[in-house]
Amino acid sequence: MNSLFKQQVFEIIRLIPEGRVTTYGAIAKAVGYPKHARHVGNALRSYDEDFPAHRVCNSSGRITASCLAGFTEKLNREGVAVRGDKIQNFKVIFWNPMEEL
DNA sequence: GGGCTGACGCGCT
DNA sequence: AAGCGCGCCAGCC
């Protein structure tokens, strides 16, 4: 994949407000690659510190990241309730990147 | 070059 | 409600 893809993905994630979350698919669509949801996650396997990767989950509001515990803790600190791997009020706090472009 | 993997998503059982 | 199957495609071996 070209680095532009990653770059745009990272750019969008940085725009996610505190206390809000979005999905891999939504980001993929927003950057013009609707079928590349997997690669959004793939690009996030490694990320810089201070990068809010914990604000990204799958389309059903579940955290599928490797470090679930860490993300849950970060989300809780931002006021996002998480039970198990499921984000509570997902539909309410979902942030749509499409509306920001 | 080929097979396997995967932080996904959607439709069908 | 909960799985299962399949499409998708960049990396990694």
Side-chain angles (χ1 to χ4, degrees):
Chain A
M1 86 173 58
N2 64 46
S3 52
L4 181 60
F5 175 80
K6 278 188 201 168
Q7 193 177 330
Q8 293 182 73
V9 166
F10 278 59
E11 186 181 327
I12 286 184
I13 294 174
R14 264 187 273 270
L15 297 177
I16 305 174
E18 211 177 277
R20 306 291 299 281
V21 297
T22 191
T23 70
Y24 303 100
I27 294 168
K29 283 180 194 165
V31 299
Y33 293 83
K35 302 181 177 181
H36 291 56
R38 304 185 80 122
H39 303 303
V40 174
N42 206 270
L44 288 176
R45 279 185 313 171
S46 61
Y47 52 90
D48 302 324
E49 53 183 291
D50 294 334
F51 186 76
H54 55 281
R55 297 182 187 143
V56 186
C57 62
N58 71 13
S59 64
S60 49
R62 288 182 184 279
I63 299 170
T64 48
S66 49
C67 46
L68 172 61
F71 282 6
T72 300
E73 193 180 339
K74 287 189 169 98
L75 287 169
N76 282 332
R77 270 202 291 267
E78 295 182 0
V80 177
V82 181
R83 186 177 53 175
D85 61 349
K86 180 77 174 70
I87 295 175
Q88 307 297 291
N89 303 316
F90 170 65
K91 290 179 190 170
V92 179
I93 67 175
F94 173 72
W95 178 82
N96 189 342
M98 300 297 281
E99 296 172 359
E100 306 296 320
L101 305 177

